[in-house]
Tab-separated table of all heavy atoms in Angstrom:
chain	number	residue	atom	x	y	z
A	1331	TYR	N	-48.988	-124.440	-24.825
A	1331	TYR	CA	-48.745	-123.572	-25.967
A	1331	TYR	C	-49.001	-124.276	-27.265
A	1331	TYR	O	-48.890	-123.698	-28.334
A	1331	TYR	CB	-47.334	-123.000	-25.929
A	1331	TYR	CG	-46.252	-124.049	-25.886
A	1331	TYR	CD1	-45.835	-124.713	-27.015
A	1331	TYR	CD2	-45.660	-124.420	-24.677
A	1331	TYR	CE1	-44.862	-125.700	-26.986
A	1331	TYR	CE2	-44.684	-125.402	-24.654
A	1331	TYR	CZ	-44.272	-126.019	-25.780
A	1331	TYR	OH	-43.309	-126.992	-25.726
B	1460	PHE	N	-45.960	-112.791	-21.558
B	1460	PHE	CA	-46.020	-113.973	-22.376
B	1460	PHE	C	-45.061	-115.009	-21.768
B	1460	PHE	O	-43.971	-114.650	-21.314
B	1460	PHE	CB	-45.618	-113.686	-23.824
B	1460	PHE	CG	-46.520	-112.706	-24.527
B	1460	PHE	CD1	-46.000	-111.621	-25.204
B	1460	PHE	CD2	-47.876	-112.886	-24.548
B	1460	PHE	CE1	-46.820	-110.730	-25.856
B	1460	PHE	CE2	-48.731	-111.995	-25.204
B	1460	PHE	CZ	-48.175	-110.907	-25.864
B	1461	ASP	N	-45.432	-116.280	-21.825
B	1461	ASP	CA	-44.514	-117.270	-21.232
B	1461	ASP	C	-44.005	-118.365	-22.194
B	1461	ASP	O	-43.181	-119.165	-21.797
B	1461	ASP	CB	-45.118	-117.921	-19.957
B	1461	ASP	CG	-46.474	-118.546	-20.243
B	1461	ASP	OD1	-46.912	-118.586	-21.380
B	1461	ASP	OD2	-47.072	-119.044	-19.263
B	1462	TYR	N	-44.499	-118.354	-23.415
B	1462	TYR	CA	-43.982	-119.262	-24.445
B	1462	TYR	C	-44.091	-118.563	-25.772
B	1462	TYR	O	-45.017	-117.776	-25.992
B	1462	TYR	CB	-44.755	-120.585	-24.492
B	1462	TYR	CG	-44.291	-121.619	-23.519
B	1462	TYR	CD1	-44.971	-121.810	-22.317
B	1462	TYR	CD2	-43.192	-122.387	-23.777
B	1462	TYR	CE1	-44.546	-122.737	-21.402
B	1462	TYR	CE2	-42.744	-123.322	-22.854
B	1462	TYR	CZ	-43.422	-123.509	-21.683
B	1462	TYR	OH	-43.002	-124.427	-20.777
B	1463	PHE	N	-43.162	-118.911	-26.663
B	1463	PHE	CA	-43.174	-118.347	-28.017
B	1463	PHE	C	-43.076	-119.469	-29.026
B	1463	PHE	O	-41.998	-119.914	-29.372
B	1463	PHE	CB	-41.996	-117.339	-28.155
B	1463	PHE	CG	-42.123	-116.166	-27.220
B	1463	PHE	CD1	-41.636	-116.225	-25.940
B	1463	PHE	CD2	-42.762	-114.993	-27.644
B	1463	PHE	CE1	-41.775	-115.150	-25.069
B	1463	PHE	CE2	-42.890	-113.921	-26.787
B	1463	PHE	CZ	-42.394	-113.996	-25.514
B	1464	PRO	N	-44.241	-119.970	-29.475
B	1464	PRO	CA	-44.215	-121.036	-30.436
B	1464	PRO	C	-44.258	-120.535	-31.892
B	1464	PRO	O	-44.685	-119.409	-32.144
B	1464	PRO	CB	-45.527	-121.790	-30.127
B	1464	PRO	CG	-46.420	-120.771	-29.555
B	1464	PRO	CD	-45.555	-119.704	-28.919
B	1479	ALA	N	-41.046	-124.402	-30.247
B	1479	ALA	CA	-41.394	-123.339	-29.294
B	1479	ALA	C	-40.236	-123.095	-28.355
B	1479	ALA	O	-39.388	-123.969	-28.149
B	1479	ALA	CB	-42.632	-123.775	-28.483
B	1480	ILE	N	-40.212	-121.885	-27.769
B	1480	ILE	CA	-39.129	-121.492	-26.871
B	1480	ILE	C	-39.701	-120.738	-25.688
B	1480	ILE	O	-40.724	-120.052	-25.788
B	1480	ILE	CB	-38.084	-120.659	-27.626
B	1480	ILE	CG1	-36.747	-120.566	-26.867
B	1480	ILE	CG2	-38.606	-119.239	-27.943
B	1480	ILE	CD1	-35.617	-119.982	-27.679
B	1481	ARG	N	-39.037	-120.898	-24.558
B	1481	ARG	CA	-39.395	-120.115	-23.343
B	1481	ARG	C	-38.567	-118.843	-23.310
B	1481	ARG	O	-37.430	-118.837	-23.848
B	1481	ARG	CB	-39.146	-120.981	-22.106
B	1481	ARG	CG	-40.190	-122.010	-21.865
B	1481	ARG	CD	-39.805	-122.980	-20.779
B	1481	ARG	NE	-38.847	-122.476	-19.826
B	1481	ARG	CZ	-38.162	-123.245	-19.019
B	1481	ARG	NH1	-38.340	-124.563	-19.037
B	1481	ARG	NH2	-37.268	-122.751	-18.197
B	1482	PRO	N	-38.977	-117.811	-22.646
B	1482	PRO	CA	-38.239	-116.543	-22.659
B	1482	PRO	C	-36.958	-116.564	-21.880
B	1482	PRO	O	-36.145	-115.631	-21.992
B	1482	PRO	CB	-39.240	-115.555	-22.019
B	1482	PRO	CG	-40.221	-116.384	-21.306
B	1482	PRO	CD	-40.288	-117.675	-21.973
B	1483	ASP	N	-36.657	-117.629	-21.081
B	1483	ASP	CA	-35.370	-117.690	-20.368
B	1483	ASP	C	-34.317	-118.480	-21.151
B	1483	ASP	O	-33.230	-118.745	-20.669
B	1483	ASP	CB	-35.570	-118.331	-19.000
B	1483	ASP	CG	-36.214	-119.693	-19.057
B	1483	ASP	OD1	-36.697	-120.069	-20.130
B	1483	ASP	OD2	-36.223	-120.384	-18.018
B	1484	VAL	N	-34.600	-118.782	-22.428
B	1484	VAL	CA	-33.681	-119.516	-23.302
B	1484	VAL	C	-33.392	-118.636	-24.486
B	1484	VAL	O	-34.292	-118.017	-25.064
B	1484	VAL	CB	-34.311	-120.858	-23.727
B	1484	VAL	CG1	-33.405	-121.552	-24.716
B	1484	VAL	CG2	-34.598	-121.723	-22.517
B	1485	SER	N	-32.117	-118.582	-24.924
B	1485	SER	CA	-31.792	-117.687	-26.038
B	1485	SER	C	-31.835	-118.364	-27.393
B	1485	SER	O	-31.957	-117.716	-28.430
B	1485	SER	CB	-30.381	-117.112	-25.817
B	1485	SER	OG	-29.440	-118.162	-25.776
B	1486	GLU	N	-31.754	-119.704	-27.388
B	1486	GLU	CA	-31.805	-120.381	-28.678
B	1486	GLU	C	-32.304	-121.794	-28.491
B	1486	GLU	O	-32.013	-122.460	-27.492
B	1486	GLU	CB	-30.410	-120.448	-29.313
B	1486	GLU	CG	-30.379	-121.056	-30.697
B	1486	GLU	CD	-28.993	-120.982	-31.321
B	1486	GLU	OE1	-28.600	-119.937	-31.871
B	1486	GLU	OE2	-28.299	-122.042	-31.306
B	1487	LYS	N	-33.082	-122.268	-29.462
B	1487	LYS	CA	-33.543	-123.674	-29.438
B	1487	LYS	C	-33.506	-124.200	-30.864
B	1487	LYS	O	-33.929	-123.532	-31.791
B	1487	LYS	CB	-34.969	-123.762	-28.864
B	1487	LYS	CG	-35.437	-125.194	-28.729
B	1487	LYS	CD	-36.737	-125.299	-28.014
B	1487	LYS	CE	-37.187	-126.758	-27.888
B	1487	LYS	NZ	-38.478	-126.850	-27.190
B	1494	ILE	N	-34.925	-121.434	-33.328
B	1494	ILE	CA	-35.473	-120.172	-32.834
B	1494	ILE	C	-34.344	-119.442	-32.082
B	1494	ILE	O	-33.679	-120.015	-31.234
B	1494	ILE	CB	-36.614	-120.370	-31.847
B	1494	ILE	CG1	-37.768	-121.187	-32.447
B	1494	ILE	CG2	-37.174	-119.011	-31.392
B	1494	ILE	CD1	-38.894	-121.445	-31.447
B	1496	PHE	N	-33.885	-116.087	-29.599
B	1496	PHE	CA	-34.719	-115.246	-28.768
B	1496	PHE	C	-33.898	-114.171	-28.097
B	1496	PHE	O	-32.885	-114.459	-27.458
B	1496	PHE	CB	-35.438	-116.128	-27.730
B	1496	PHE	CG	-36.534	-115.407	-26.980
B	1496	PHE	CD1	-37.806	-115.377	-27.478
B	1496	PHE	CD2	-36.273	-114.769	-25.781
B	1496	PHE	CE1	-38.831	-114.685	-26.806
B	1496	PHE	CE2	-37.260	-114.100	-25.113
B	1496	PHE	CZ	-38.537	-114.080	-25.605
Side-chain angles (χ1 to χ4, degrees):
Chain A
Y1331 56 82
Chain B
F1460 298 130
D1461 57 3
Y1462 275 99
F1463 297 87
I1480 196 168
R1481 284 171 22 197
D1483 56 349
V1484 175
S1485 60
E1486 185 176 280
K1487 183 172 182 181
I1494 303 177
F1496 191 87

